[in-house]
Amino acid sequence: MIVAPSILSADFGNLEKSFKKVSSAKWLHVDVMDGHFVPNISIGPVVIKGLREYTKQVLDTHLMISDPEKYAPEFVKAGSDRITFHIEAVEDPYGLIDKLRELNVSVGISIKPNTSVNSIRELIPLIDQVLVMSVEPGFGGQKFMPNALDKISELSELRKLWNPELLIVVDGGINETTGNMCKEVGADVLVAGSYVFNSENPEERINSLL
Ligand code: DX5
Ligand code: ZN
């Protein structure tokens, strides 16, 4: 199991202190929001660049933006190791996958709570991870939506045939209970924001999800 603390819930007034507390995590999940694809604005490539200089942890970048074709390369240049875009935001997912492959970055596709696994079925052999949103994207601290569990099970069946290496990532409302539920049905990566950072002991929270 990989735990990816979502830095959206970190203390932006003292990022270094926040990051030190999650240094045991293999991945850091970075939420990019443009105020258009989602009703919130977060961070851009400059923060990724700063993070890249600070840590060797895998920077897992979740693009919640309307024009990933235009901006994804900037995030790669800034130092992202993995780029996940939303299927709902693109017209030509094949084109964007090719473009990202050329840039030598791992590729993920995310689906919102009302988007079916079926909508990305044919893309499964071409990508490294699927990110199942278990809340409406845009904000941390929301309640886990259980329909994500069916999608994780479905993906876990599909990958057997089409892409055994595919990582199933789940994002939104993850805590010890929901994390276990996701694990049981086949999730490989748990993204957790408020559960990890809104604690005196983030390390302990990370360990509770492993
Ligand atoms: C929501 C983001 C999540 C968010 C998760 O749009 O994609 O990564 O930070 O936060 P929690 O774990 O608090 O639900
Ligand atoms: Zn996210």
Side-chain angles (χ1 to χ4, degrees), residues 6 8 29-33 60-64 86 110 131 133 137-138 169-172 191:
S6 168
L8 193 64
H29 182 84
V30 187
D31 286 308
V32 177
M33 307 180 182
D60 178 47
T61 304
H62 178 191
L63 297 181
M64 286 164 275
H86 269 268
S110 182
L131 186 156
M133 284 302 309
V169 186
V170 57
D171 182 7
V191 174

Side-chain angles (χ1 to χ4, degrees), residues 24 95 208:
S24 71
S208 77

Side-chain angles (χ1 to χ4, degrees), residues 56-77:
K56 290 196 163 51
Q57 283 160 292
V58 171
L59 299 181
D60 178 47
T61 304
H62 178 191
L63 297 181
M64 286 164 275
I65 61 177
S66 294
D67 200 349
E69 280 100 343
K70 183 169 174 192
Y71 294 104
E74 283 188 43
F75 286 93
V76 180
K77 207 168 133 206

